[in-house]
Amino acid sequence: MTQTNQLVILITGAATGIGQASAHSLAKAGHTVYSSMRGTTGRNAARVQEEREYATANGVDLHVVELDVTSQESANQAIQTILSEQGHIDVVLHNAGHLVVGYTEAFSVEEIERLFDVNVLGVTRVNRAALPHFRERGAGLLLYTGSTTTVVVPPFMGPYVASKLAVDGLAQTTAYEVNQFGIETSIVMSGPLTSGTEHFPDASRPADTATTAAYAPLDSMVARNEEATSSLFQSGVDATPQTIADEFVHIVSLPAGTRPFRTVVDYSNANVEKGNALLWELQADYLTRMGFANLLHPVIKQPKD
């Protein structure tokens, strides 16, 4: 296990994929990690046992905590559990999310509401539970699993892209406000992954089959959507959740005040970095002309023990 400045880290949606890979990697890097998921005594009981066995076998400080991001009570309880056991929290890694695939019109309002409840409001609930502690302590890192879809806007997953855009907007505007309390923000924008995640196999599709059928002329494009995405990768590239986990480990390892606001892990060559650079330039200019340039960067303080 690598020795490092040990941090206490909460990860949402850590049962599989990016969340699980990040929990293992951050724990191996020497941090105290709380891997959160729903149904720790029910649907995910077997996963909880697997994580405990992993922690023992690898000699790492990895715990599992119950957290349903659709419940404010659950978010509050998870934060309080960690505080009671560790005394403080250094990092919240927002990773919980769900994917939907299909024609946008075919999704009912209720289906989109359920998606936003997890992907967007879930972030809000966890932040509302964690930020009072971060503000009181004068330190903390909000770490987000972002998406390159917010820049490239791929087809046939409209509600999902909209939810990721919403989270990105919340992350940015929240950063302006919490920067003043010594709280940092980093958004890791993930490109498409080739394997190792249940995101696509578990994706929901709209229940409105009649409206879906009305878009039949586009079905051939939907059918080759995954193949078209795969064609963007260079030969031999294996973009797995571990590539995102490695970036989280790197960001967490950096000293407070030096962590990047955005990074991109993308092997589809979407050139998202160019869009990010331009947007940051425009945003910085706009806030500076408003007289709010001080909101652009965190005011780093010595954490209160």
Side-chain angles (χ1 to χ4, degrees):
M1 181 174 66
T2 303
Q3 295 301 312
T4 186
N5 181 26
Q6 187 180 48
L7 302 177
V8 178
I9 302 171
L10 167 65
I11 304 175
T12 69
T16 62
I18 292 173
Q20 184 182 54
S22 298
H24 291 179
S25 296
L26 287 163
K28 280 188 172 182
H31 302 294
T32 297
V33 177
Y34 280 78
S35 174
S36 78
M37 60 191 74
R38 296 179 297 169
T40 54
T41 59
R43 55 178 288 189
N44 279 320
R47 293 191 190 276
V48 172
Q49 184 59 33
E50 290 171 3
E51 293 304 285
R52 288 173 177 161
E53 292 172 358
Y54 178 90
T56 300
N58 290 275
V60 295
D61 197 9
L62 175 63
H63 310 260
V64 178
V65 64
E66 173 78 25
L67 202 172
D68 178 355
V69 298
T70 66
S71 164
Q72 186 66 61
E73 181 180 359
S74 179
N76 293 345
Q77 183 58 56
I79 294 296
Q80 289 306 311
T81 295
I82 300 170
L83 290 177
S84 66
E85 294 179 1
Q86 303 296 332
H88 71 279
I89 302 172
D90 297 289
V91 182
V92 170
L93 198 173
H94 291 288
N95 177 72
H98 184 64
L99 175 67
V100 298
V101 177
Y103 302 118
T104 304
E105 183 191 346
F107 287 97
S108 68
V109 169
E110 291 75 19
E111 287 172 322
I112 296 175
E113 282 179 340
R114 286 194 293 272
L115 178 71
F116 270 60
D117 196 24
V118 174
N119 291 9
V120 183
L121 300 184
V123 168
T124 298
R125 292 184 184 100
V126 175
N127 276 350
R128 281 180 57 80
L131 281 174
H133 170 65
F134 280 3
R135 282 189 284 103
E136 181 180 4
R137 194 161 182 252
L141 171 63
L142 296 176
L143 193 52
Y144 296 85
T145 302
S147 174
T148 58
T149 63
T150 61
V151 175
V152 298
V153 189
F156 313 127
M157 52 179 72
Y160 174 77
V161 173
S163 73
K164 298 305 287 186
L165 281 161
V167 170
D168 199 274
L170 282 172
Q172 289 187 70
T173 53
T174 300
Y176 295 152
E177 298 157 5
V178 302
N179 274 344
Q180 307 310 295
F181 297 90
I183 301 166
E184 295 179 275
T185 296
S186 287
I187 304 169
V188 175
M189 300 176 73
S190 170
L193 301 177
T194 54
S195 62
T197 175
E198 297 180 10
H199 217 33
F200 276 93
D202 289 345
S204 297
R205 286 165 172 75
D208 184 352
T209 55
T211 300
T212 296
Y215 282 85
L218 302 183
D219 284 352
S220 62
M221 285 190 282
V222 175
R224 67 180 180 85
N225 190 33
E226 187 172 350
E227 178 185 350
T229 302
S230 298
S231 71
L232 301 174
F233 292 90
Q234 293 180 347
S235 177
V237 167
D238 190 15
T240 69
Q242 188 60 49
T243 62
I244 312 300
D246 290 343
E247 182 66 6
F248 285 138
V249 172
H250 170 66
I251 290 173
V252 166
S253 73
L254 296 173
T258 68
R259 292 162 175 149
F261 181 69
R262 283 189 188 278
T263 63
V264 179
V265 181
D266 174 37
Y267 297 93
S268 69
N269 303 308
N271 294 310
V272 168
E273 295 90 342
K274 294 181 180 179
N276 289 343
L278 176 58
L279 285 172
W280 178 256
E281 180 182 341
L282 297 176
Q283 291 160 356
D285 174 72
Y286 192 77
L287 265 68
T288 299
R289 289 189 291 113
M290 292 178 72
F292 294 149
N294 61 307
L295 299 181
L296 292 168
H297 302 286
V299 178
I300 301 303
K301 305 176 181 181
Q302 184 64 33
K304 298 175 183 177
D305 293 329

